[in-house]
Amino acid sequence: MAADSPQFQIGGHVEVTSPVHAMRGSLFPAKIVAASADRTKFTVVFNKVKTKIYRKVTGHKALREEVHVALLRPLPPREKDYAFKFSDAVDAFFAGGWWEGVITKVLDDGRFEVFFRFLKQKFEFEADELRLHREWVKDSWVPPLREEERDVSNTKEDKTQRKEDIGAGTQVEVSNDEDGFQGAWFAASVVQVVGNDKFLVQYKSIETDDGKEFLTEEVDAQHIRPCPPEAVMVDCYGLNEEIDAFWNDGWWEGVIRKVLHGGRYKVYFEGTDDEMVFDHCDLRPRQAWKDRTWVMASQVAVLCSQSVGHLLVQIGCFMRPSGYLRMGGYRTSFST
């Protein structure tokens, strides 16, 4: 989103996300009250999150914070008369914000059981506390709002176009669900489009058992993506930041667990439950291929060292009806 977007004006209502790994999928409603001269940073006042100074009884006041434009998005319109169903990706409103989850059960009393991956727990919500989950990508909602969705013929045309995105000769990356390879992407080129969303690829680094040539195999559309564009390299990566690490001929999805001296990092790989140390040059910012578009995995291109995410940590406190978070000289709470 460009900094001069009409979506982000003083007095406008927005949602603020966080680059902090533990808080991915959280969005907090706020109002813009000021902007920097270059309009790359905006001061916002949160609707529900409040602060209180220690040992003072002057009451609560809304949390005020300066955030980077990359952490903002417009308010999505609320879609009426939608019947939520099993497996819907949703946002649930609690603790002063919207949190990403998935419906795992439709209950008899009109409530819904929602599972949150970041907490690895399930909670129940009313329908009016839920909304369909959508990302804001290149000034559009992904997937599109229901009233903007195309008819069946256009959907069929779109699938054909998606297939044409990856053709013979396309440079791609391929993943594998086998034990020990979860979260790894290997460079390959497409030899042939087999049909029914299947592709014959030849790897650039994985050899056949006899070592005489590079391995060729058939993969499905769920395990192939175009090569990600070159991302702007950051000067340093932060704690809990999601990255890809180059190891064993591929790029492996990991999380920074410790920042070491000399531009080195200890990286944890959830797919294999391993930790390894890497140099800065062996890492790249994580990008995700979603709906034919590359987006930063953290949902921001620029990470802010001081953001709402750093004030709203310790997710467990959010589950209390009147929980408080103690940060520095402030006690941060939420209201519902």
Side-chain angles (χ1 to χ4, degrees):
M1 171 78 65
D4 60 354
S5 168
Q7 299 283 357
F8 301 144
Q9 301 295 326
I10 295 177
H13 292 273
V14 294
E15 290 183 340
V16 185
T17 188
S18 170
V20 178
H21 174 69
M23 295 185 63
R24 282 192 58 200
S26 60
L27 290 156
F28 296 87
K31 181 179 180 179
I32 296 175
V33 295
S36 62
D38 60 2
R39 300 186 66 79
T40 60
K41 292 185 178 180
F42 293 82
T43 301
V44 301
V45 174
F46 291 90
N47 295 359
K48 297 293 184 179
V49 182
K50 301 182 183 297
T51 62
K52 184 177 180 180
I53 298 177
Y54 279 159
R55 302 185 182 91
K56 292 189 177 182
V57 291
T58 55
H60 295 83
K61 64 177 181 179
L63 177 64
R64 184 187 183 101
E65 179 78 356
E66 184 180 60
V67 299
H68 196 279
V69 63
L71 296 176
L72 302 181
R73 77 176 201 175
L75 293 179
R78 293 300 299 271
E79 298 168 286
K80 300 178 180 179
D81 302 324
Y82 179 77
F84 293 102
K85 60 184 183 300
F86 173 79
S87 80
D88 273 348
V90 296
D91 296 331
F93 192 84
F94 68 97
W98 293 96
W99 301 76
E100 181 182 353
V102 60
I103 294 178
T104 54
K105 185 181 293 185
V106 179
L107 304 175
D108 294 335
D109 58 358
R111 296 171 63 84
F112 301 86
E113 183 181 78
V114 178
F115 175 74
F116 298 97
R117 296 181 182 87
F118 71 96
L119 282 174
K120 296 183 179 179
Q121 294 186 50
K122 299 176 182 179
F123 298 91
E124 295 181 9
F125 293 89
E126 303 281 355
D128 59 4
E129 297 173 310
L130 302 177
R131 70 184 185 189
L132 291 175
H133 177 75
R134 285 181 168 84
E135 303 286 345
W136 181 246
V137 180
K138 294 183 177 181
D139 295 352
S140 298
W141 294 109
V142 180
L145 300 173
R146 285 189 296 139
E147 55 268 27
E148 298 173 356
E149 291 175 349
R150 291 164 288 186
D151 57 27
V152 175
S153 61
N154 285 340
T155 302
K156 186 179 297 184
E157 178 182 345
D158 190 51
K159 289 182 178 179
T160 302
Q161 181 62 39
R162 269 201 300 272
K163 188 173 181 180
E164 292 173 355
D165 287 343
I166 300 179
T170 302
Q171 304 303 302
V172 295
E173 290 185 344
V174 180
S175 64
N176 193 318
D177 290 334
E178 293 183 11
D179 289 341
F181 289 93
Q182 294 92 336
W185 291 90
F186 297 92
S189 59
V190 176
V191 177
Q192 181 184 10
V193 179
V194 179
N196 295 324
D197 293 327
K198 292 187 179 295
F199 305 85
L200 187 66
V201 302
Q202 184 176 58
Y203 292 95
K204 294 185 177 181
S205 58
I206 302 178
E207 299 180 339
T208 56
D209 292 337
D210 57 17
K212 294 183 178 180
E213 60 183 6
F214 290 113
L215 178 65
T216 299
E217 70 174 1
E218 186 177 293
V219 298
D220 59 37
Q222 300 300 317
H223 295 86
I224 191 172
R225 68 184 188 184
C227 288
E230 184 176 352
V232 177
M233 293 299 294
V234 297
D235 293 333
C236 61
Y237 296 99
L239 188 66
N240 294 327
E241 186 168 347
E242 296 186 345
I243 49 81
D244 294 335
F246 191 79
W247 177 75
N248 199 19
D249 298 323
W251 289 99
W252 298 69
E253 298 177 352
V255 177
I256 302 292
R257 278 294 173 85
K258 189 173 184 179
V259 180
L260 307 174
H261 293 294
R264 308 187 78 203
Y265 305 87
K266 179 177 287 187
V267 179
Y268 171 72
F269 302 98
E270 183 178 3
T272 59
D273 196 27
D274 291 323
E275 282 190 347
M276 297 178 61
V277 174
F278 290 87
D279 292 324
H280 184 275
C281 61
D282 293 324
L283 305 181
R284 71 182 185 185
R286 176 89 64 81
Q287 298 183 77
W289 178 245
K290 299 187 65 173
D291 299 288
R292 300 168 58 202
T293 301
W294 285 105
V295 295
M296 301 302 292
S298 61
Q299 301 179 6
V300 294
V302 180
L303 299 178
C304 304
S305 60
Q306 296 296 324
S307 69
V308 63
H310 290 277
L311 293 174
L312 306 178
V313 294
Q314 301 296 329
I315 305 300
C317 295
F318 282 154
M319 304 314 298
R320 305 170 189 168
S322 57
Y324 288 98
L325 304 179
R326 295 182 179 272
M327 298 297 299
Y330 293 88
R331 183 167 68 168
T332 300
S333 68
F334 62 85
S335 62
T336 56

